[in-house]
Amino acid sequence: MLLKDATVATLDPPSVERACLRIEGPVVVERAAKLAPAMGEEVIEAEGALVLPGLVNAHTHLYSALARGMPGPAEPPKSFVEILEKVWWRLDRALDEESVYLSGLVGAIEAARSGTTLLFDHHASPSFIRGSLATLRRAVEELGLRSVLCYETTDRNGLEGRDAGIAENRGFLASGPTELTLGMLGAHASFTLSNESLDRLSAAIQDANSSLHVHVAEDRADIEHCRVRHECGLVERLRRHSLLSDRTLLVHGVHLSEPELHDAQADGAWLVHCPRSNMNNAVGHARTIAFRRAALGTDGLDQDMLAETRAAFLRMRDTGREDALAAAFELLVGGHRLASSFFGLALGRLEPATPADLVVLDYRPPTPLTAENLTGHLLFGLDRGHVRSTMVAGRFVLRDRRITTVDEAQVLSRARVAAAALWERKAGL
Ligand SMILES: [Zn+2]
């Protein structure tokens, strides 16, 4: 396939060039200012379009895809822990196989329509644990996206629930990676995990040569619980259980101190910043000035990384950071670096021998677009409404604004029925 005469922009380092891309199988095989179509080759005219590498969401919860418009609790939650108890821990308990599958499809459709080609998902469905990750993989692969999946281990559903969570992670990892999907170990947060649970997670990680995806210091309650119960900070606690490695994902880190953030990153851990979720839960501002090895996540609000990057930028500006533009861009680029280290692929490059994971946007800039001002266009010009087509591993999952891999109308119609039933089950819990 030949993608012809596009404006190709890559982010790391920033570059903007008129180029043609030749794609064979899952990879870009040739890139040049001009390429003539080969005999029988399909030609995609991309004149007037902007092509970007597919975007990476470093932390999401696909299971929340069926929560849009869901009635809230009778009494509004008064704290972050109450938001979990009254909303999310009741919703996840009401999930069954059908709703996990459909939320995976709906979330993946949203991702494709937002130009997001790779998701790090953190899944919980306490009434349907065993087989939940395979169900989610089936949905995301049917749509055609890449993902890294894990199950949220926690003590909040008793020891049986905890052990089932670890077993689900272990079983999924043992089933092996596929071209599009990897596994890792998932855990909720320090304040819902005992020392024994952390040791069990650590053992599972060693056995599978994997790493941990965990919420850290999202709310002050997490650090206070750790200080009172374990007499140490959160990073120290994770270290004591050998849970920090070069592919650990620490999500939020809102209440970590700068020295703690430095320590975690020195151990190789990645920080995931979720500014819109943090604002939505009113949990505070992360010290993003100390985020170096870091990426952005939507925490399940949607799968829109352009919106998340803009929110990261505005929030940093609001606290007076003068380098906010560059810092927000670095976080977006961090997603490609993180994903590349997991998949062992040069994601985000669009050069010969790199994966053909890309987004075609209907974007005719009203001002000059160059490598130097690409960040300005990304933050002030582009949004998901510009996404025309999305390709993963050389296959269009969205083409000319139509989802190609599943019947979108049918999925949405099934999802509406499943969501209504899910909300009803949740109300009864
Ligand atoms: Zn989360």
Side-chain angles (χ1 to χ4, degrees):
M1 176 188 311
L2 184 65
L3 195 64
K4 221 168 154 271
D5 299 327
T7 300
V8 178
T10 50
L11 315 180
D12 189 19
S15 75
V16 177
E17 258 181 30
R18 291 271 292 180
C20 303
L21 299 176
R22 174 162 282 132
I23 293 155
E24 269 177 35
V27 291
V28 176
V29 291
E30 221 178 334
R31 172 177 171 154
K34 283 279 165 211
L35 285 173
M39 184 86 92
E41 188 171 49
E42 186 184 357
V43 178
I44 318 279
E45 292 292 347
E47 168 78 41
L50 174 66
V51 172
L52 289 178
L55 303 174
V56 175
N57 187 351
H59 177 72
T60 191
H61 302 278
L62 286 166
Y63 70 75
S64 66
L66 300 187
R68 189 183 302 166
M70 180 173 71
E75 284 280 305
K78 292 186 186 63
S79 66
F80 171 70
V81 174
E82 277 195 23
I83 294 174
L84 295 180
E85 286 168 349
K86 292 188 171 182
V87 181
W88 299 110
W89 291 353
R90 289 173 68 198
L91 174 77
D92 69 16
R93 193 177 304 278
L95 288 164
D96 59 9
E97 181 167 3
E98 167 87 349
S99 43
V100 168
Y101 173 66
L102 286 169
S103 63
L105 279 179
V106 168
I109 288 172
E110 287 232 316
R113 290 199 169 279
S114 306
T116 301
T117 52
L118 195 155
L119 305 166
F120 286 81
D121 189 72
H122 198 269
H123 177 69
S125 51
S127 306
F128 166 58
I129 298 178
R130 190 169 173 190
S132 59
L133 294 180
T135 300
L136 210 49
R137 174 174 60 196
R138 182 158 61 88
V140 180
E141 289 197 349
E142 232 174 274
L143 209 285
L145 304 187
R146 293 188 201 268
S147 66
V148 181
L149 307 181
C150 69
Y151 189 86
E152 178 190 287
T153 307
T154 176
D155 295 349
R156 72 178 150 101
N157 304 303
L159 293 186
E160 211 175 299
R162 175 199 70 182
D163 292 344
I166 295 176
E168 177 60 11
N169 282 306
R170 279 184 181 269
F172 187 70
L173 279 160
S175 73
T178 65
E179 184 198 6
L180 297 178
T181 316
L182 307 178
M184 68 189 298
L185 261 292
H188 174 243
S190 171
F191 73 100
T192 70
L193 289 158
S194 69
N195 285 334
E196 189 205 338
S197 301
L198 290 189
D199 284 337
R200 282 174 186 246
L201 278 163
S202 186
I205 286 167
Q206 305 301 325
D207 291 350
N209 191 24
S210 184
S211 60
L212 188 68
H213 184 172
V214 62
H215 299 107
V216 176
E218 179 173 6
D219 184 71
R220 205 170 281 286
D222 198 17
I223 52 169
E224 279 164 11
H225 179 275
C226 193
R227 195 162 48 219
V228 170
R229 189 69 63 88
H230 306 288
E231 297 177 343
C232 66
L234 286 166
V235 171
E236 175 57 25
R237 183 166 190 233
L238 293 171
R239 257 189 184 165
R240 284 181 191 173
H241 294 274
S242 309
L243 288 167
L244 294 182
S245 73
D246 66 352
R247 273 184 290 164
T248 304
L249 288 189
L250 305 181
V251 182
H252 299 299
V254 173
H255 297 280
L256 294 181
S257 65
E258 282 193 34
E260 284 180 304
L261 291 165
H262 287 303
D263 285 353
Q265 293 170 102
D267 282 359
W270 285 81
L271 299 165
V272 184
H273 182 43
C274 308
R276 290 183 302 162
S277 164
N278 294 163
M279 286 190 273
N280 185 43
N281 290 325
V283 290
H285 287 231
R287 293 174 173 87
T288 48
I289 193 85
F291 280 41
R292 293 279 178 271
R293 195 172 160 79
L296 283 173
T298 62
D299 206 13
L301 260 74
D302 55 28
Q303 311 301 334
D304 185 349
M305 297 314 296
L306 293 170
E308 200 65 49
T309 310
R310 191 173 303 121
F313 162 71
L314 290 171
R315 212 157 190 228
M316 288 188 231
R317 281 299 300 135
D318 196 33
T319 58
R321 271 187 79 173
E322 286 172 3
D323 64 342
L325 209 62
F329 187 77
E330 270 297 294
L331 287 171
L332 182 65
V333 169
H336 288 123
R337 296 179 190 149
L338 169 70
S340 296
S341 80
F342 269 77
F343 280 85
L345 297 168
L347 291 157
R349 308 209 77 93
L350 304 182
E351 290 158 6
T354 64
D357 289 24
L358 55 86
V359 197
V360 183
L361 301 116
D362 288 317
Y363 183 64
R364 288 181 187 269
T367 56
L369 168 61
T370 64
E372 290 69 36
N373 72 10
L374 175 59
T375 314
H377 284 270
L378 270 173
L379 284 164
F380 299 113
L382 287 169
D383 65 48
R384 68 175 164 187
H386 292 111
V387 174
R388 182 206 298 176
S389 303
T390 300
M391 176 185 281
V392 182
R395 190 166 71 133
F396 277 116
V397 296
L398 178 78
R399 184 164 186 175
D400 297 329
R401 298 182 184 267
R402 285 175 65 93
I403 295 287
T404 62
T405 46
V406 298
D407 181 337
E408 183 179 12
Q410 194 192 46
V411 168
L412 296 179
S413 142
R414 273 176 75 188
R416 283 190 292 273
V417 174
L422 174 68
W423 297 358
E424 205 160 303
R425 287 198 299 277
K426 171 186 164 274
L429 288 171

